[in-house]
Amino acid sequence: MAEIGREEAKKRIEELRKLIHYHNYLYYVLDAPEISDAEYDALVRELRRLEELYPEFITPDSPTQRVGGQPAEGFAEVRHPKPMLSLQDAFNDEEMWAWFRRISKLLPEGVKPEDLEFTVEPKIDGLTVVLTYENGVYVKGATRGDGFVGEDVTANLKTIKAVPLRIPVVPDGEPPKRIVVRGEAYMPISAFEEFNRRQAELGQRTFANPRNAAAGSIRQLDPSITAQRPLSIFTYAIVELEGGKPIRTQWEALEYLKSLGFPVNPENRLAKSFEEVLALSKELMKKRDALDYEVDGVVVKINDLAVQEALGVVGNAPRGAIAYKFPGREATTKLLDIIINVGRTGSLNPVAILEPVHVGGVIVKQAALHNEEDIHRKDIRIGDTVIVRRAGEVIPQVVGPVKELRTGQERIFYMPKNCPVCGEPVVKPENEVDYYCVNAACPAQLVRRIEYWASKGAMDIEGLGEKVAELLVKEGLVKDVADLYYLKPQQLLRLEGFAEKKVSNLLKAIEASKQRPFWRVLTGLGIRYVGEIVAQTLAKHYLSIDRLMAATEEELMQIEGIGPRIAKSVVDFFSRPRHREIIEKLRRAGVRLAEEEVVKVEEGPKPLAGLTFVITGTLSVPREEFAALIERYGGKVADAVTRKTNYLIVGEAPGATKYNRARELGIPMITEADVRRMIEEGVK
Ligand code: IVH
């Protein structure tokens, strides 16, 4: 290749640039790549080689020039062609209606409120950017700044692959002579989590949320740092247009931007009435958790740009648009203490005790902290002001500390060396992040096991909750779940707060639980990885506890929905003499240890029939169990994302391979909650 001639090189360079621009467009805008990453890289490499040979052909819009070389001395200023306005906020339907009534009175002659159309656009929580193109070439990129003057971040934005360097698609021949576009740069949530993880590993600064990460990445003096950050962009407004197609409505503007090859949010909607605006806003709010970018509300804009213009501006916000904000997912509060909760399996789980705070519409007093390693990695200390986050229905999480607010009084947290309940030394298995209390007689575990045995999903014993379980264990009346069936009224009557009525109710409820189906007994035993669904599968297959106890790992693994992890756990469980003893005690008590009839899991509706799912990340239940649930309702679960995949279920900390592949193939990403909804409401 070294001997390629000048003319030939020039031709090939142009060809390569066109190809690379085109594939960027397919990948970043249409989400429909036609070539593999390796093939793409090969094109870029070839171009770079040719440009090295003939540097005179390097142009500023060449895809090789995305990484700007020289760090600037601070940012130059850019005056925006028009003020970059902000938006007024509404927080509920009443405030939205109030806005509608207000603008209804101010409409120009001949425009009726009931004829108004609106766009409803996700409000991405990122950083506003303003991009200028002249003759189809990217020439300037700026931040919003104070609305009038922004910072010149041309080189930084150039490193974002979703920012076209050249308008790649020109529908009517010539590109607009000049177009200034407003958009939001953001860091996808999955990329943010991955990025933070890597930063922490390298001992470098992490960001509290994707918004800060995006803003911090763009406002870097050295664009080569921006280049390493996984950023993307959505555009949503044309600020200025010369020599392009005349645009009358916001919807046309969005369509035009799309046709010019700018990334435009696929969730944007056009509403034909104000009722529809509110309905679409609700719909988007429901979808919020399934999107891979932070959405903090919807932006509602009057579609007719002339009407918007006529309504004018109050302060720094146009009257013709409004932000309908979702409840915030994050709040800051004080971390008062970290306590240890001993789980059913003996795991020691740190729990954050917080100064009560409103997050996303509820008061949060406690939040999850994963494990000691994670607490240290995030440098969370007792006494810190922390960011608490509540997304969807999951347990609130402590995101990280606000280090700027430290007083010096904060304490570093260490896992106790001994179980806080029984005092026995704790153990940390190799390759695991959790600590365990392995004392089989630890009352905390026993309390949890009894609570679990009595819970709704298992034996459903009314009146036997945490408090009663604690009391029974404390008084030494119960040493395992089977002991419940040997309780005598006299023993209970001696307990504080137990009058005759309460005792007889509790004993009746315990007695009634003997008739629960066999799979509930299996669930209640609390075998690791055996939740309701797996228990049903096992009950259906083996029909009795004796046959199940005789099963080997190999046999178990033959069953659909039972993987090696579950199989091993089941065999381990029944191999312990103590567990066999409990089973015998249950048998003597008359608890049902076999199916009277086969559990009818095969029957019933199959709302997921014909759909193939792939799971990535951590779900609220073991993955095998969730897979079994999907299969029970007719769906299939595959290991890898292919064109045949219908949905990617994204859990916490999803893997990059599946995620990127799904993105490449345009496969919809959903949450665990969405699947449960599909099962309950059917697939729409
Ligand atoms: S319209 C005058 N549309 O939300 C019009 N803004 O205060 C003002 N944002 O930081 C912006 N997505 O960058 C508009 N689809 C969208 C948006 C959006 C995100 C941001 C914007 C600004 C804030 C509004």
Side-chain angles (χ1 to χ4, degrees):
M1 188 154 120
E3 47 296 342
I4 185 168
R6 204 167 171 279
E7 274 316 297
E8 207 184 325
K10 183 165 185 245
K11 241 178 75 199
R12 181 64 185 157
I13 285 174
E14 274 165 17
E15 213 171 80
L16 284 166
R17 283 183 191 154
K18 270 214 195 92
L19 272 171
I20 293 166
H21 282 306
Y22 172 69
H23 289 296
N24 271 343
Y25 172 72
L26 290 178
Y27 188 92
Y28 288 102
V29 179
L30 299 186
D31 259 346
E34 286 173 359
I35 58 173
S36 69
D37 288 1
E39 287 168 297
Y40 175 85
D41 290 343
L43 292 177
V44 177
R45 260 200 316 275
E46 186 186 345
L47 176 61
R48 198 164 272 144
R49 274 252 282 288
L50 290 175
E51 287 180 344
E52 271 163 25
L53 281 173
Y54 298 102
E56 64 269 38
F57 294 140
I58 298 177
T59 56
D61 70 328
S62 172
T64 58
Q65 302 303 300
R66 281 202 187 262
V67 185
Q70 327 74 339
E73 285 270 325
F75 297 105
E77 293 187 343
V78 182
R79 180 158 291 278
H80 299 306
K82 269 198 238 164
M84 288 300 115
L85 299 175
S86 186
L87 290 171
Q88 38 180 333
D89 290 335
F91 293 94
N92 51 48
D93 280 8
E94 288 88 86
E95 289 176 17
M96 287 298 287
W97 278 113
W99 172 68
F100 181 68
R101 282 193 299 271
R102 236 170 20 244
I103 54 170
S104 295
K105 288 191 207 123
L106 300 169
L107 293 174
E109 278 285 319
V111 181
K112 292 195 284 257
E114 60 272 25
D115 294 340
L116 287 179
E117 290 181 344
F118 304 84
T119 61
V120 178
E121 307 168 18
K123 184 170 178 307
I124 312 281
D125 200 10
L127 182 76
T128 300
V129 293
V130 184
L131 308 169
T132 305
Y133 291 79
E134 278 168 5
N135 302 314
V137 176
Y138 170 70
V139 293
K140 194 152 281 309
T143 63
R144 176 169 178 267
D146 64 3
F148 300 97
V149 175
E151 294 152 320
D152 187 336
V153 286
T154 307
N156 304 48
L157 296 181
K158 210 178 201 178
T159 69
I160 303 179
K161 299 234 172 52
V163 171
L165 297 183
R166 194 193 289 188
I167 294 178
V169 182
V170 182
D172 309 317
E174 284 300 295
K177 212 170 132 18
R178 181 179 151 85
I179 181 168
V180 182
V181 169
R182 179 168 175 176
E184 196 83 354
Y186 67 94
M187 192 178 281
I189 298 171
S190 54
F192 161 74
E193 283 165 357
E194 177 76 34
F195 170 70
N196 252 1
R197 209 167 12 240
R198 236 187 10 246
Q199 287 287 102
E201 267 169 31
L202 298 171
Q204 284 173 5
R205 93 165 269 209
T206 56
F207 289 96
N209 54 45
R211 205 208 84 81
N212 290 359
S217 299
I218 289 168
R219 301 187 63 262
Q220 283 286 340
L221 289 181
D222 179 357
S224 68
I225 295 180
T226 314
Q228 294 158 18
R229 305 282 170 88
L231 296 166
S232 197
I233 188 177
F234 281 124
T235 58
Y236 54 74
I238 298 175
V239 178
E240 201 175 57
L241 181 65
E242 267 176 48
K245 190 182 146 197
I247 302 293
R248 285 184 316 99
T249 67
Q250 169 65 8
W251 192 252
E252 277 174 24
L254 294 170
E255 291 290 315
Y256 185 55
L257 285 171
K258 219 186 307 176
S259 74
L260 292 178
F262 289 97
V264 174
N265 196 314
E267 305 298 333
N268 292 336
R269 298 285 181 271
L270 180 63
K272 304 275 185 193
S273 70
F274 199 64
E275 283 80 4
E276 202 183 338
V277 165
L278 299 181
L280 288 168
S281 305
K282 300 248 144 49
E283 222 167 84
L284 189 77
M285 167 127 122
K286 277 206 200 128
K287 214 168 173 182
R288 184 187 194 190
D289 291 328
L291 299 172
D292 194 31
Y293 41 82
E294 280 293 0
V295 173
D296 62 343
V298 289
V299 182
V300 177
K301 301 172 186 167
I302 291 181
N303 193 30
D304 190 322
L305 295 176
V307 175
Q308 264 204 41
E309 187 74 29
L311 282 170
V313 174
V314 251
N316 67 349
R319 279 203 189 80
I322 192 162
Y324 189 176
K325 299 288 279 283
F326 294 157
R329 305 214 225 210
E330 286 184 358
T332 55
T333 189
K334 264 247 161 11
L335 174 62
L336 302 175
D337 200 2
I338 297 178
I339 61 160
I340 302 293
N341 185 9
V342 182
R344 192 159 39 88
T345 56
S347 60
L348 267 53
N349 311 314
V351 178
I353 304 295
L354 305 167
E355 214 165 78
V357 62
H358 273 278
V359 193
V362 303
I363 296 175
V364 174
K365 297 181 197 151
Q366 293 198 349
L369 287 159
H370 297 250
N371 50 60
E372 187 186 59
E373 202 177 295
D374 193 59
I375 293 169
H376 289 172
R377 183 150 42 84
K378 293 178 178 154
D379 192 13
I380 298 168
R381 304 182 189 179
I382 298 168
D384 262 335
T385 298
V386 290
I387 298 165
V388 178
R389 188 184 161 77
R390 196 180 144 261
E393 291 116 64
V394 298
I395 310 165
Q397 312 274 324
V398 175
V399 178
V402 185
K403 291 186 192 168
E404 292 74 15
L405 294 178
R406 282 202 174 142
T407 61
Q409 301 295 304
E410 295 74 18
R411 281 186 295 128
I412 296 178
F413 165 80
Y414 295 101
M415 236 11 186
K417 299 261 180 299
N418 296 81
C419 171
V421 179
C422 70
E424 290 287 309
V426 301
V427 172
K428 183 169 181 276
E430 226 177 293
N431 304 326
E432 277 204 43
V433 288
D434 285 327
Y435 287 75
Y436 289 87
C437 168
V438 290
N439 171 15
C442 173
Q445 288 174 56
L446 185 52
V447 170
R448 293 284 114 71
R449 279 201 296 268
I450 290 166
E451 234 184 298
Y452 186 67
W453 174 266
S455 66
K456 284 236 167 336
M459 298 299 271
D460 195 10
I461 304 175
E462 218 183 303
L464 182 46
E466 185 179 1
K467 286 264 154 5
V468 175
E470 259 170 20
L471 200 58
L472 294 174
V473 170
K474 199 173 109 217
E475 295 296 321
L477 295 178
V478 170
K479 298 225 157 36
D480 58 47
V481 295
D483 285 342
L484 291 170
Y485 297 92
Y486 297 88
L487 286 171
K488 303 268 177 310
Q490 311 85 280
Q491 296 174 310
L492 295 174
L493 282 166
R494 281 203 295 274
L495 302 179
E496 210 185 300
F498 276 72
E500 226 153 278
K501 185 81 190 148
K502 188 163 171 180
V503 169
S504 97
N505 281 348
L506 180 60
L507 289 175
K508 259 192 230 150
I510 293 174
E511 183 63 27
S513 75
K514 290 182 184 170
Q515 298 311 314
R516 301 272 182 265
F518 172 46
W519 67 263
R520 285 179 168 270
V521 177
L522 280 182
T523 309
L525 288 174
I527 305 168
R528 223 169 161 194
Y529 310 127
V530 180
E532 287 175 54
I533 304 298
V534 173
Q536 291 183 18
T537 307
L538 292 174
K540 183 186 103 182
H541 248 87
Y542 288 97
L543 303 176
S544 78
I545 198 116
D546 296 311
R547 290 170 55 189
L548 177 61
M549 286 199 290
T552 62
E553 281 181 47
E554 292 69 40
E555 263 170 56
L556 282 157
M557 272 161 33
Q558 303 295 310
I559 304 170
E560 210 174 294
I562 309 292
R565 208 164 59 138
I566 300 178
K568 180 167 185 324
S569 171
V570 170
V571 170
D572 279 354
F573 184 90
F574 289 117
S575 70
R576 293 183 186 225
R578 174 79 181 112
H579 292 154
R580 288 181 170 257
E581 193 189 308
I582 295 172
I583 305 288
E584 288 322 307
K585 266 160 82 178
L586 288 171
R587 194 195 307 272
R588 269 187 280 124
V591 173
R592 194 183 280 181
L593 295 178
E595 283 295 326
E596 284 202 336
E597 45 177 358
V598 179
V599 179
K600 295 196 172 74
V601 286
E602 260 346 359
E603 287 167 21
K606 302 266 180 217
L608 305 182
L611 296 178
T612 300
F613 297 80
V614 173
I615 304 174
T616 178
T618 312
L619 306 180
S620 73
V621 294
R623 196 180 281 193
E624 284 87 348
E625 191 181 316
F626 201 69
L629 175 76
I630 290 174
E631 280 161 7
R632 179 171 163 208
Y633 289 102
K636 275 212 191 76
V637 179
D639 287 328
V641 176
T642 67
R643 280 178 206 283
K644 295 213 179 86
T645 310
N646 296 92
Y647 293 99
L648 178 66
I649 304 168
V650 183
E652 218 179 286
T657 315
K658 286 178 186 171
Y659 179 82
N660 288 336
R661 186 76 187 132
R663 205 185 117 128
E664 269 170 44
L665 296 173
I667 286 161
M669 302 194 206
I670 59 174
T671 63
E672 181 185 335
D674 291 325
V675 179
R676 294 189 195 272
R677 217 168 289 129
M678 285 176 173
I679 292 172
E680 272 162 36
E681 298 169 12
V683 180
K684 288 182 190 122

